[in-house]
Amino acid sequence: MANGSEGGGGPAIENYYLEERVFEPSEEFRAGAVVGDRSLFERAEADWEGFWAEQAAGLDWFEPWETVLEWDLPFARWFSGGKLNVSHNCLDRHVAAGLGERVAFHWVGEPGDTRTVTYRELLAEVERFANVLKGLGVVRGDRVAIYMPMIPELPVAMLACTRIGAAHSVVFGGFSPDALRDRINDAEARVLVTADGGWRRGQAVALKGNADVAVEGTPSIEHVVVARRTGEAGGPTTMVEGRDHWWDELMAGAGPDCPAEAMEAEDLLYLLYTSGTTAKPKGIMHTTGGYLTQVAFTHRTVFDLRADTDVYWCAADIGWVTGHSYIVYGPLANGATSVMYEGTPDFPDKDRWWDIIETYGVTILYCAPTAIRTFMKWGTEFPERHDLSSLRLLGSVGEPINPEAWMWYRAHIGGERCPVVDTWWQTETGAILISPLPGITACKPGSATFALPGISAEVVDDAGEKVEEGGGYLTLTRPWPSMLRGIYGDPERYRETYWSRFEGRYFAGDGAKVDPEGYLWLLGRVDDVMNVSGHRISTTEVESSLVNHASVAEAAVVGARDDTTGQAIVAFVTLRSGEDPSPERGEELRAHVSRHIGAIARPRTVVFTDELPKTRSGKIMRRLLRDVAEGRALGDTTTLADPKVVEEIRRLSTASPTEE
Ligand code: WTA
C-alpha cells in the first residue's frame, strides 16, 4: 500500500496454503478411536431444523417461537416470534433450580489474588449493574462499549447489558485508544465501561488513560463507568465530573432488583469487531435466541460437560469471541463452574497455569495452539511437577494445531485418558462448527475431524465444485443458529464478504483439505488475514498504519510462518526519499503500529527495501514476499536492509511479472 492511497482490491484468493502442511495420518497417530453413539448425527441429518429446535427447547423461553428458520439467503432469522432473555437463562433459572451456591467463576488475578463468585452472587451483581446502566439512561436497543481487563466485572457488565436489552461491544483491553475510538464510533455506544487499569506481566496498564484519549473523539459517549482494579499502582486516574463514575459508587446507590427484559430471538445481543481484508474492522452482529442455543449446545457436547462436577477453564480473553462464547455465554447457560484467569501463562512464573489446574482441580482445559507450542518449548519440567490428574478433556482453538503439538498436549498435559478436541470456528460463526465429539469421533492429531451435528461443511475448488478428497476452500452450505446476522451498518459488505465467492455458500476464508476418510484438515487463511497467536489481524490494517507514518512511502505486510505463534507479522517498508533506514527507524515504526492498533499488531520484523515486487497492474505480490520472509531466518527485531533479502526482492521486482 502506498502512502496517501486507499489500498483497494478485494481479497486475493490464492491456492498458496493448499500445498502445505500435508500430514498423512498413520495408525499410530490415531487416538481415542472409540466410535460411540452416533444418534445425535443421525437425528440432525434426518431433520436439521428440527434438530436445532430440539436444542433451543433446552433454554427458557418467555414466549415460544413461531418459525424455526426463515432463510432469505444470506439473511437468516432463527426462532422468530420467540422471546427470551440471555441473563435469565445464564443466571436466574439456575438459581431458581436450587443451584445458587454453585460456583460460576473461580477467578484468579494476575498478582495472585482470588475471588469466588457463585451463581447467586453473579445474579445479584448483574441485577445491580443493570440498574446502574438504566440510571445512566441506557435503554433497550442501545449499545454499550466495554473495555476491561479479565476481572469478574467484565462478565457482570456484559450480562447486565443483556438483562436490559442493550447490545454490548467488548473491545479487547490490549487495543489502542485509536482502535477503541473507531469501534465506539461505529457502534455509536452511549456508555463506556472500563477499569482504572489492568495487570500485564506485573505492570499496571492504564486502561482509563487510554479510554480518556479515545473518548475525546466519540460524540456518542455520555458516561464512563470505571471499575477499580490497579488502584494507586497505575498512577492517578482522572475523573471527568458528570461524565465519569466509579463502578463501586454507582453500585452502592443502585437498587437490587432488575427484571429481565423479554427480548425477541432476533434482537441484537452483541457486536464484536474483527479484522477482515480491509483496514476497517467489521462489527460482527450476533443475536439472542439462535446464538445462545448453539453456544450452549456446543459447550455441552464438545466438552462432554458434566456441569455438577466439572471445573472448566477456557484460557482465552473475553475480548475475543472465544471468551464471549466459551467463558461467558456457553458455560453460564449450562450452569458450569469455570476458572477465569486475568494473566498470561508466563507470569509470575512458568508454573502459574499448572498451579491453577492443581488448585481448582480443573477437568477441562481449552486453549490455543500457540500456548501449547510455548509450553513445549519450555519443556515438560513445569507441568510434571504438578498434579494434573483432574484433567479429563483438552480443547484447542484459534489456529491449525500441528500434530506434534496435539500429541505433546495429550501426552504431557492431559495424559492418554484425555480426548483432545480441536475446534474450528470463527467470530462470525459464533460457536464451534467443526470438532470431534468425545467418545464418538475417532481422532487424528491435527485434524478438526468433522462438522458437528446440524452443520454442513464442504470443501470446494476454485469453481465452487465439491472436493471429495484433496484441498480447497472451506464453505458452509446452510445457515446455523449462531451465525452472524450481518456486519453492523453494512448489509452489502456482509453479502459481498461471506456469500459472494461461491454461489449459495458461506465462504469462511480458510483453506482445508479432505483426507481419504473424509476428515477435515484446516490449512489456514487463504485471504489477506494473518493469524498471530490465534488473533486475526488484517495485512491491510497494518499497512494502513505504516503508510500513515510520515517517513513511509510504501509498505507490504505478510504473515510468515512462525513455530510458536502460527504466523508472525513481517513488514516490508520503502521509505520516502530523504529518509534513511536505521534500527531506530525500524523500532519507531513497530512502536507506531503498536500505538495505532495495539501490541498484538506490532510487526515482529521490519525489512527496509527500496523496491517491492509488483504485478504488471501494480499489485504487490505478497505471496512472493511471504516466500522471502519464510525462506530465511529474519530476526526478532528490525532487519536493516539485509543485503541478501534486498537482493532477492530486487530480483523478484525486476523479473518479468507473470502474476496478475
Ligand atoms: C482460525 C476464533 C484451524 C481460522 C475462534 C478461522 C482455526 C479464524 C481453528 C477465526 C482451528 C480457528 N483450526 N484454524 N481449530 N479455529 N481457526 O474469528 O483461520 O478470532 O478463520 O475466531 O481462526 O478467528 P476468530
Side-chain angles (χ1 to χ4, degrees), residues 281-618:
K282 301 180 293 225
I284 301 300
M285 295 162 68
H286 282 294
T287 58
T288 305
Y291 175 81
L292 197 64
T293 295
Q294 201 168 342
V295 294
F297 165 74
T298 49
H299 182 255
R300 213 164 44 233
T301 49
V302 170
F303 300 107
D304 184 25
L305 186 73
R306 300 156 202 177
D308 49 344
T309 51
D310 272 325
V311 179
Y312 159 87
W313 181 18
C314 167
D317 192 292
I318 294 176
W320 310 108
V321 77
T322 307
H324 280 62
S325 298
Y326 296 108
I327 297 178
V328 183
Y329 295 118
L332 293 176
N334 289 330
T337 294
S338 295
V339 164
M340 176 177 167
Y341 177 49
E342 184 184 26
T344 51
D346 57 349
F347 192 88
D349 52 43
K350 298 184 169 101
D351 286 301
R352 177 51 77 83
W353 266 44
W354 319 119
D355 278 339
I356 292 176
I357 293 176
E358 193 169 1
T359 305
Y360 295 99
V362 170
T363 57
I364 304 170
L365 176 64
Y366 189 33
C367 66
T370 298
I372 300 163
R373 289 189 290 262
T374 302
F375 298 139
M376 279 174 82
K377 237 175 13 197
W378 292 346
T380 52
E381 64 169 291
F382 301 101
E384 261 164 19
R385 56 180 183 228
H386 296 269
D387 176 6
L388 306 179
S389 61
S390 56
L391 287 170
R392 64 172 192 82
L393 202 141
L394 304 174
S396 166
V397 61
E399 320 151 56
I401 180 166
N402 48 315
E404 299 70 24
W406 193 106
M407 288 185 288
W408 187 92
Y409 191 28
R410 185 158 185 263
H412 298 285
I413 305 303
E416 296 302 313
R417 68 185 176 284
C418 286
V420 177
V421 290
D422 173 13
T423 65
W424 177 90
W425 60 296
Q426 309 177 292
T427 304
E428 294 88 339
T429 70
I432 298 167
L433 297 194
I434 302 176
S435 166
L437 288 183
I440 298 177
T441 316
C443 288
K444 294 181 187 181
S447 165
T449 73
F450 303 102
L452 291 181
I455 301 300
S456 165
E458 283 181 3
V459 175
V460 298
D461 62 17
D462 265 310
E465 296 297 326
K466 185 175 175 191
V467 170
E468 299 290 346
E469 194 187 321
Y473 306 93
L474 182 65
T475 66
L476 300 163
T477 67
R478 58 186 188 216
W480 61 101
S482 65
M483 66 189 271
L484 75 164
R485 298 302 194 266
I487 296 173
Y488 193 64
D490 202 344
E492 221 13 75
R493 190 172 171 207
Y494 163 65
R495 185 193 296 276
E496 174 60 31
T497 308
Y498 301 105
W499 297 91
S500 67
R501 177 70 177 83
F502 302 105
E503 169 104 42
R505 294 170 185 268
Y506 171 91
F507 171 48
D510 284 328
K513 194 181 143 228
V514 193
D515 81 8
E517 291 173 303
Y519 280 67
L520 292 166
W521 298 77
L522 275 304
L523 302 170
R525 305 286 308 184
V526 295
D527 53 21
D528 288 334
V529 177
M530 301 174 284
N531 187 329
V532 182
S533 301
H535 299 145
R536 282 163 64 176
I537 302 162
S538 102
T539 54
T540 323
E541 204 176 351
V542 178
E543 287 171 4
S544 304
S545 171
L546 284 166
V547 297
N548 258 334
H549 192 275
S551 70
V552 175
E554 225 178 2
V557 167
V558 299
R561 203 184 301 109
D562 183 281
D563 285 345
T564 306
T565 59
Q567 284 189 311
I569 304 176
V570 178
F572 294 85
V573 171
T574 307
L575 293 174
R576 289 188 169 187
S577 62
E579 301 283 351
D580 290 321
S582 68
E584 294 73 33
R585 178 46 52 86
E587 269 316 306
E588 190 185 328
L589 293 178
R590 295 170 77 212
H592 170 80
V593 174
S594 177
R595 224 175 11 252
H596 193 191
I597 307 173
I600 44 163
R602 182 204 306 270
R604 184 195 64 185
T605 310
V606 175
V607 180
F608 290 112
T609 166
D610 34 3
E611 281 163 272
L612 289 169
K614 290 186 186 144
T615 62
R616 237 190 285 271
S617 62

